[in-house]
Amino acid sequence: VQLVESGGGSVQAGGSLRLSCAASGYSGSSYCMGWFRQAPGQAPEGVATLNIDGSTTYANSVKGRFTISQGTAKNFLYLQMNSLKPEDTAMYYCVASTRTDNSCAAANIGIWYSYRGQGTQVTVSS
């Protein structure tokens, strides 16, 4: 399984970015998919998950601002980020997890993943 993120960059507070994750070597409908982020010196923070039944979860810090979605062919995962804040600055990672039960949640995805991409940097300036 390979996951390749793109779409990161620098933006001013209040702006938007759309992260993409191209997945290959797997069946996209068999994994809990998600995003987590990690800022320098800080622990990983789960951001959002999308489970095989289409259910989604979000960290409280991004709820109402971020939206996770999947392409029709299930081989692309997206994270639409609106109303960005300086505290959203971090490296963002796309992940896939075999835990498709209730463990598929933003609170867990930063730790319980099977595959991870190389990350894409998001920097939000005030």
Side-chain angles (χ1 to χ4, degrees):
V1 176
Q2 284 192 316
L3 304 171
V4 180
E5 303 94 334
S6 61
S10 297
V11 64
Q12 288 194 325
S16 298
L17 283 173
R18 189 193 195 204
L19 305 184
S20 298
C21 172
S24 60
Y26 84 130
S27 170
S29 59
S30 301
Y31 290 87
C32 162
M33 302 297 296
W35 296 88
F36 79 88
R37 64 189 181 187
Q38 189 165 18
Q42 297 190 17
E45 178 189 15
V47 174
T49 59
L50 174 62
N51 210 346
I52 57 175
D53 62 356
S55 60
T56 59
T57 70
Y58 296 92
N60 287 335
S61 58
V62 307
K63 208 170 287 184
R65 300 188 297 123
F66 290 11
T67 303
I68 188 171
S69 62
Q70 200 166 31
T72 303
K74 307 286 187 187
N75 60 342
F76 276 92
L77 185 73
Y78 304 103
L79 186 68
Q80 178 68 43
M81 306 186 296
N82 299 327
S83 302
L84 283 161
K85 304 176 181 180
E87 50 264 43
D88 294 319
T89 295
M91 186 71 80
Y92 283 70
Y93 297 92
C94 172
V95 292
S97 170
T98 58
R99 296 175 182 250
T100 56
D101 56 10
N102 291 339
S103 300
C104 180
N108 303 323
I109 200 65
I111 302 172
W112 293 346
Y113 59 87
S114 305
Y115 306 97
R116 193 202 78 178
Q118 84 288 349
T120 186
Q121 177 68 37
V122 172
T123 302
V124 184
S125 58
S126 57

